[in-house]
Structure formats: C-alpha cells, structure tokens
Amino acid sequence: MKLLYEKSRPGRRASSLPRPEVPAAEVPEQLRRASPPRLPEISEPELVRHFTALADRTFGVDTGFYPLGSCTMKHNPRVNERVVNLPGFRDLHPLQEEDASQGALELMWRLQEILAEIVGLPSVSLQPAAGSQGELTGLLLMRAYFADRGEGDQRREIVIPDTAHGTNPASVTMAGYKLVDVKTDPRGNVDVDDLRGKVGPQTAGLMLTNPSTLGLFDEGIEEITRIFHEAGALMYYDGANLNAICGISRPGDFGFDIVHFNLHKTFSQPHGGGGPGGGPIAVRERLEPYLPVPAVVREGEAFRLDYERPKTIGKVRGFCGPFGVFVRSYAYIRSYGPALREMSEVAVLNANYLLARLKDTYEAPFDRLCMHEFVLSGRKLKREHGVTTLDVAKRLMDYGFHPPTIYFPLIVPEALMIEPTETEAKETLDAFADAMLAIAREAAGQPELLKDAPHVRPVKRLDEVRAAKRPVVRYRFEQHEDPQGAGEARQLEAQKGA
Ligand SMILES: Cc1ncc(COP(=O)(O)O)c(C=O)c1O
C-alpha cells in the first residue's frame, strides 16, 4: 500500500477553507520557516479511502477474537464511551478549581473506595499511568518506607519468580534494587525451598503476580507471605492478572502490602499499541504516608485534593492521573455492581473450557485447572514435525484469529499463552479451538503450509527483529524528491489557504 506522501499530487486538496478575515499573525523573522512543510496533498475521497484501507488491515478486539495472554483483551462496552464523553467529564480542565469539579472528584474518590474493597487494602492512589508505572511507584514506596525505618541501606534486594513479566525486573532495576530470581516448582508454584534460602534481612520484598503468568494460582501463597513478613520484608502484588479473582479473593487478605491494578485490562478499555492505561496502586496503612500526592479525599459531602502528605514520594504523573480511564473503569465496575465476581468466574470458566479442548493436542506443562488464562507448549509439534510455535501463531491469522502471546513465560519451551476473557461466546471459543486443532493436523500433513503462513493477510512474515531494532517511523524526505519542487510555487499554493 502506498504512503500518503506517495499518493500526493501538487495542488490537490481534501477541503478548502475561506480566507481568514483577520490579518495574518506577525511571526518574528527568526521563528519563521524558510519554506512550508511538505504536507501530502490529496483529495478527500482519496484520503478517506487511504485511512479506511489502513483500518481494514488492522486487527482489534472489535474485529475478532484476541486471546493475547496476560493482556486481557476484552470487549469495550460502548456505554463507557458515552459516559466518558459527557461534556462535564470530557471538557473539564485539569486545573479547574475544586468547587467546580466536584463530580469528577467524587468519581475518583468512589473509584478509590471500590478498588480498595476489591483488593482488600485501605489506601489507593490513582496516579500511575500503567501497570509498569504502578510497579515502579510501589517499589519507590518500599524504598521510602525502609529509608524511614533506617533500613534503607540494609534492604537492597527484591525477589522475583522466573515466570515474571518483563516489566517486573525492569521496574526493580529502575528503582535501584538488586534482583533475586526464584525458581518455579514442578506444579507451577513458586519453589518455596529455593525461596527460603534467598530471603533474609537484606530483602526489601517480593514481586509476584497471582495467578502467575502460567495462569496458575500459587498454592503456597500463605507460606510465601509468612516467609517474607517474618523477614521484615514487604509483598508486592502485580495485579495484571486480577481478572481471575475479582470478587472471589483479595490480595490484601493473602498478605500483599502493595497492589497495582491494570485498569485498562481488568476493567476493559481500548489499549494495546500504546493506548491510554491506568495503573493505580493500593497499600496497607503503614505505607499510606508515602503515597503520591494529591490524594482525593472526602470531607462531609465535599471532595478535595489533599497535598498534605509530608512523607510522600511526590508526583508520578501529571495532574491526578489518566481521568478518562477512571471514568471508563468506574462505569465498567458499576455496570456489574455486586456481581463483579461473575466477570472473573466466567473468565476462568472460558479459559478452562479452552484448555480442556486443547490440552490433548498441545502439551499442558502443568496438569492443573487454570485461572483466567493458560499456557500450552508446542514442543511436540516441533519435535515431531519441525513446526514451531511461531508457525502456529502465523497460521492462526489465516483462520482469522489474533495469535496468543508466544514464547512467554520463558520457562515453558515453545509457549502459547492463551487468555480468552469472559466476554467471548462459546461459539467463538469453539471456532478458535477448532482452528488450533486443524493447525495441529496441518502440521502433521502439510507442515509447509504453516512455515509460509500467513497466506491471506496483507503482509506476510516480517523481519521482526529489524522492525524492533531499526524501526522506520518517519518519511525520509531527503530520499524522495519533492514533486512540486521546493520554493515559491509551493509557498504560494500553501498561502492560498488549503
Ligand atoms: C503480568 C504483567 N505484569 C505487568 C504488566 C505491565 O502492565 P502495563 O502494560 O499496564 O504497563 C503486564 C502487561 O502486559 C503483565 O502482563
């Protein structure tokens, strides 16, 4: 498909505006451009077709099943968009005085209260903008807490299981801690024997997601909590997998001291490709003094922003956090009401249904019921037919499905991590399972079909390493001649008021 610049023809316009009746602004000479920017010149129908064609090529959760493990790609209810676009929310200026923004403050306060209840911890900060920033904020709270107790120099280590999401070790390093790796045992739990030797007076805390990235609830969680708390260390809960346990069990009850939420996963919302996120954190009483400012507080019937936290770690994001994400999350949670646990129950049911349909064909490394997602291994296909998990993922695209997360967690060879979410119908799950089983049969009969997949997508196999390491994210004007030639002609055309 050609780029807009390649479709551009001098003098074409998608719209024409009347000449302004006010005099042109005087821009100081030294601030003026020497020549107008090279903007694409294109007619409206061509422009509309261009973007429609691009949209047609894009796959999203509104296009089809998107079982990207650990990402909770669920349906985004349209009512949330209606609510977030209410003028009182949409047009609110972040610096609006408190008296005139009571509705927004009340929504944030209520969201804080609900989140606190969901995880069983008393204090919430809505500020962090994503799960990963919640992680960093939580670790900075740990540092502030231990520094305050005079243990800052002593407690320098954070323990992380070998199944951890990549953001966990990255956050630990960014927060200035040393990373200590702990193994997974044969049932998919944290290996408690390995753990015991690694926790001591030097430990600041544990960072764990439960259920883990294997989609398994850690059966030793009480023992793990005991080990850390007896050593005077703190427990951090990575809430990316909260979709499995909402309304059923609470991280605060099984001993975690700090929790982050991924609002943009658990409570729907457009995300992926860098879309807006929200990563609030909830903490136990003793960590509350260090939370970011401002906090949203209630005084009688009024709501206000409280900056009076002398021990705060400061601000981690502009203003009060990603407000639009708060509105959508609040709407999503309130639409379930007290039945929120149904969300998690159906997510877990859907995942177990798919697991049951697939585990005889693809290997399940741990023979247990899963939570909201599960991990399979494609190593049998590789061993017997030379077909890799990457081939399976690419072939799934021909069947009209977004591939699951692959090659993660790292401890499962040829891993496929599948998360169906609660918003998918049984027919969709069956169609996906049928496709996975058909692909396994193809692997045995026509492996080359998988090797060359995808066959019916607009792009085939890409050089993913090059795309990641050397992305081309701008049009290289210097390599393309300006069809109109630089200079005066264009200058005049631009001034004519396109
Ligand atoms: C287990 C886990 N932890 C943390 C994160 C980071 O969350 P975010 O993408 O919101 O920064 C993710 C994201 O996929 C995750 O799956």
Side-chain angles (χ1 to χ4, degrees), residues 390-450:
L390 180 70
D391 300 330
V392 174
K394 296 289 183 194
R395 184 68 178 141
L396 264 173
M397 294 161 79
D398 286 337
Y399 283 87
F401 297 107
H402 193 286
T405 299
I406 55 173
Y407 297 105
F408 181 77
L410 304 175
I411 61 164
V412 175
E414 298 293 316
L416 291 138
M417 185 196 219
I418 300 170
E419 179 177 3
T421 84
E422 70 282 4
T423 57
E424 298 301 336
K426 179 172 177 293
E427 297 76 44
T428 307
L429 303 183
D430 280 329
F432 177 76
D434 291 344
M436 287 286 286
L437 299 176
I439 290 170
R441 286 193 297 277
E442 287 172 354
Q446 300 164 272
E448 65 292 346
L449 204 56
L450 276 69

Side-chain angles (χ1 to χ4, degrees), residues 248-318:
I248 302 170
S249 62
R250 307 192 304 174
D253 295 342
F254 38 84
F256 286 92
D257 303 294
I258 310 172
V259 170
H260 86 242
F261 302 78
N262 296 63
L263 294 182
H264 48 291
K265 300 179 181 192
T266 314
F267 306 122
S268 76
Q269 311 189 34
H271 74 291
I281 49 172
V283 299
R284 234 174 253 297
E285 290 86 348
R286 56 191 158 144
L287 290 152
E288 199 211 342
Y290 312 98
L291 281 175
V293 284
V296 185
V297 294
R298 179 177 190 166
E299 275 168 7
E301 289 309 301
F303 301 87
R304 67 174 184 85
L305 296 174
D306 182 15
Y307 288 85
E308 292 308 311
R309 268 191 184 145
K311 294 187 174 181
T312 177
I313 59 164
K315 250 176 166 314
V316 296
R317 194 182 189 277

Side-chain angles (χ1 to χ4, degrees), residues 148-461:
D148 214 13
R149 293 165 59 92
E151 296 174 41
D153 292 336
Q154 168 200 328
R155 297 192 181 271
R156 303 296 319 136
E157 293 182 1
I158 301 282
V159 180
I160 289 193
D162 55 8
T163 50
H165 188 258
T167 50
N168 292 182
S171 301
V172 169
T173 309
M174 280 179 76
Y177 278 113
K178 183 173 167 238
L179 196 84
V180 177
D181 222 24
V182 63
K183 292 201 190 73
T184 297
D185 75 11
R187 276 188 64 74
N189 300 315
V190 167
D191 186 330
V192 177
D193 292 333
D194 186 33
L195 184 67
R196 277 203 189 89
K198 292 179 171 167
V199 181
Q202 77 288 3
T203 310
L206 169 77
M207 202 173 211
L208 186 79
T209 182
N210 190 23
S212 68
T213 60
L214 294 166
L216 301 175
F217 193 89
D218 202 298
E219 297 161 315
I221 190 63
E222 284 168 335
E223 175 66 358
I224 294 170
T225 305
R226 209 178 47 72
I227 293 172
F228 278 86
H229 283 170
E230 277 181 11
L234 295 170
M235 300 269 291
Y236 182 96
Y237 182 88
D238 172 341
N241 293 335
L242 208 60
N243 212 55
I245 62 165
C246 275
I248 302 170
S249 62
R250 307 192 304 174
D253 295 342
F254 38 84
F256 286 92
D257 303 294
I258 310 172
V259 170
H260 86 242
F261 302 78
N262 296 63
L263 294 182
H264 48 291
K265 300 179 181 192
T266 314
F267 306 122
S268 76
Q269 311 189 34
H271 74 291
I281 49 172
V283 299
R284 234 174 253 297
E285 290 86 348
R286 56 191 158 144
L287 290 152
E288 199 211 342
Y290 312 98
L291 281 175
V293 284
V296 185
V297 294
R298 179 177 190 166
E299 275 168 7
E301 289 309 301
F303 301 87
R304 67 174 184 85
L305 296 174
D306 182 15
Y307 288 85
E308 292 308 311
R309 268 191 184 145
K311 294 187 174 181
T312 177
I313 59 164
K315 250 176 166 314
V316 296
R317 194 182 189 277
F319 302 104
C320 298
F323 183 70
V325 177
F326 304 156
V327 180
R328 293 186 183 92
S329 299
Y330 186 71
Y332 194 78
I333 295 170
R334 291 300 301 266
S335 67
Y336 272 99
L340 190 63
R341 68 178 289 153
E342 281 173 21
M343 170 186 96
S344 293
E345 284 171 349
V346 178
V348 173
L349 180 66
N350 278 0
N352 276 289
Y353 178 71
L354 264 189
L355 173 62
R357 286 213 53 194
L358 295 174
K359 70 177 183 189
D360 292 337
T361 306
Y362 295 83
E363 269 174 82
F366 304 97
D367 191 16
R368 284 170 59 180
L369 283 177
C370 67
M371 297 296 287
H372 68 308
E373 65 186 356
F374 57 96
V375 177
L376 298 172
S377 169
R379 74 184 147 187
K380 205 165 115 203
L381 295 190
K382 188 171 180 192
R383 202 173 45 235
E384 293 175 4
H385 313 298
V387 160
T388 64
T389 282
L390 180 70
D391 300 330
V392 174
K394 296 289 183 194
R395 184 68 178 141
L396 264 173
M397 294 161 79
D398 286 337
Y399 283 87
F401 297 107
H402 193 286
T405 299
I406 55 173
Y407 297 105
F408 181 77
L410 304 175
I411 61 164
V412 175
E414 298 293 316
L416 291 138
M417 185 196 219
I418 300 170
E419 179 177 3
T421 84
E422 70 282 4
T423 57
E424 298 301 336
K426 179 172 177 293
E427 297 76 44
T428 307
L429 303 183
D430 280 329
F432 177 76
D434 291 344
M436 287 286 286
L437 299 176
I439 290 170
R441 286 193 297 277
E442 287 172 354
Q446 300 164 272
E448 65 292 346
L449 204 56
L450 276 69
K451 291 261 152 235
D452 296 337
H455 299 273
V456 296
R457 304 305 304 172
V459 287
K460 306 288 174 221
R461 296 225 182 176

